Amino acid sequence: MNSVTVIGLGPMGQAMAHTYLDSGYDVTVWNRTAAKADDLVARGARLAPSVEAAVTANDLVVLSLTDYDAVYAILEQAPAAAFAGRTVANLTSDTPDKARKAAAWLAERGAVQITGGVQVPPPLIGKEGAETYYSGPEDAIETHRAALEVLTRIDHLGEDPGLAALFYQIGMDMFWTGLVSYLHAQAVAEANGISAERFLPNAVKTMDFRYFLEYYAPRIAAGNHEGEVERVAMGVASMEHVLHTVEASGVDGSLPATVLDLFRRAAAKGHGEDSLTRLIEVLKR
Ligand code: NDP
């Protein structure tokens, strides 16, 4: 029978453990707050009495924790020998450096880490289209491909254990700033009596950046920053209008002010006539 250990039963870990049970796996779980395993145990999962018992129960140990501090708080409860020969699919989000250090920590104990960055919320685990960034040794991923694919599709980025964390974080960089830009615009809309439902179709169109990304990426790669379509100077003028509109609406202007500051810094460096892609150089320290 296929079997797996899941450590960490927050919303994500619970979704994963339930999905394994749905797929007929023999599931061992462990969680700091043991009561969160009740529903899983009722469905046939085994609650390990200790971290050591959870780790040694299966070759594949899935971790789904808040951060890597939680990873160590848990794994350090087991003796080093417990990890020998295990593969730890660490689906805990944190920084690339911490992912690399955890891979080394596990390697010292004879285990292999596969780092994962899950790209979907818990209800989509096990559903069509769900995907996870993975990085780590190809052979470990291939050995456990079937078990990992019970949860989501695999996007294997490479061997470096930090790579999955890096892709996850740059995705979050876009996600959070993009999402907050929508909420900011909605605050301005509401201050002017425009409801979220009224603004929705326009917001959806504006948030579709695909055209720009596909236009910019090859030019960035080629080092071509000519301002043929848009220029930094245009960005400065536009963001000044945005900031005035925001402040006149009584809405916090710190977000557009930060963008305006970036545009102005690029212009001050002599890039006023260049494409906005010059911001990449201004941003890199
Ligand atoms: P949670 O923050 O809810 O995970 C909580 C888990 O971590 C629980 O098992 C909790 O134990 C445990 N934990 C936290 N701190 C400690 C500690 N000091 N010692 C022991 N255990 C600890 O996160 P989610 O379940 O939502 O997500 C898990 C991971 O998946 C996160 O890294 C998250 O970024 C990532 N992710 C989540 C998504 C989501 O939409 N939820 C989407 C994509 C990725 P206890 O129950 O005892 O508190």
Side-chain angles (χ1 to χ4, degrees):
M1 191 184 192
N2 292 321
S3 65
V4 67
T5 290
V6 178
I7 295 180
L9 298 176
M12 185 57 89
Q14 296 223 16
M16 290 174 171
H18 278 293
T19 302
Y20 277 122
L21 287 172
D22 294 342
S23 300
Y25 273 63
D26 182 357
V27 181
T28 298
V29 295
W30 188 90
N31 195 54
R32 177 180 61 178
T33 309
K36 287 192 189 170
D38 288 353
D39 290 350
L40 291 159
V41 170
R43 291 193 60 205
R46 240 184 296 253
L47 176 62
S50 66
V51 176
E52 180 180 8
V55 170
T56 53
N58 289 298
D59 291 344
L60 179 64
V61 179
V62 173
L63 300 184
S64 178
L65 298 160
T66 305
D67 53 25
Y68 278 52
D69 289 343
V71 169
Y72 292 112
I74 292 171
L75 297 190
E76 281 172 352
Q77 294 176 35
F83 297 96
R86 316 279 160 204
T87 298
V88 176
N90 195 347
L91 309 186
T92 302
S93 312
D94 212 316
T95 65
D97 282 353
K98 286 189 179 173
R100 292 185 187 109
K101 280 191 188 128
W105 188 93
L106 284 161
E108 283 165 18
R109 288 155 180 79
V112 172
Q113 174 174 285
I114 302 170
T115 314
V118 181
Q119 293 173 60
V120 291
L124 297 188
I125 292 297
K127 303 286 186 318
E128 187 68 29
E131 197 164 66
T132 299
Y133 294 129
Y134 280 104
S135 65
E138 175 93 42
D139 55 348
I141 288 180
E142 287 313 315
T143 300
H144 296 288
R145 175 172 285 280
L148 298 173
E149 284 182 341
V150 167
L151 303 178
T152 69
R153 285 207 314 254
I154 294 171
D155 182 2
H156 186 205
L157 300 163
E159 299 265 321
D160 169 8
L163 211 47
L166 179 67
F167 269 72
Y168 182 85
Q169 297 306 344
I170 57 180
M172 286 295 104
D173 184 359
M174 291 178 71
F175 179 76
W176 289 124
T177 51
L179 196 64
V180 172
S181 78
Y182 159 66
L183 299 174
H184 188 273
Q186 182 55 39
V188 178
E190 270 178 33
N192 289 278
I194 297 165
S195 73
E197 273 147 351
R198 169 65 190 86
F199 182 45
L200 177 63
N202 306 79
V204 167
K205 275 186 224 151
T206 306
M207 289 303 275
D208 182 3
F209 286 105
R210 192 186 179 102
Y211 168 82
F212 295 97
L213 303 192
E214 289 178 349
Y215 171 71
Y216 283 142
R219 296 167 68 92
I220 294 167
N224 176 4
H225 299 289
E226 279 178 44
E228 289 165 19
V229 175
E230 33 59 76
R231 291 170 298 119
V232 169
M234 180 204 83
V236 171
S238 174
M239 280 314 293
E240 283 173 350
H241 302 156
V242 171
L243 188 55
H244 289 150
T245 305
V246 168
E247 287 179 341
S249 304
V251 170
D252 185 308
S254 55
L255 195 60
T258 300
V259 178
L260 176 57
D261 176 59
L262 275 173
F263 287 177
R264 281 182 176 154
R265 276 157 54 199
K269 287 190 172 183
H271 298 312
E273 298 306 305
D274 292 348
S275 164
L276 286 174
T277 56
R278 276 288 186 205
L279 288 182
I280 293 171
E281 283 173 25
V282 176
L283 289 164
K284 281 197 286 190
R285 295 214 178 105

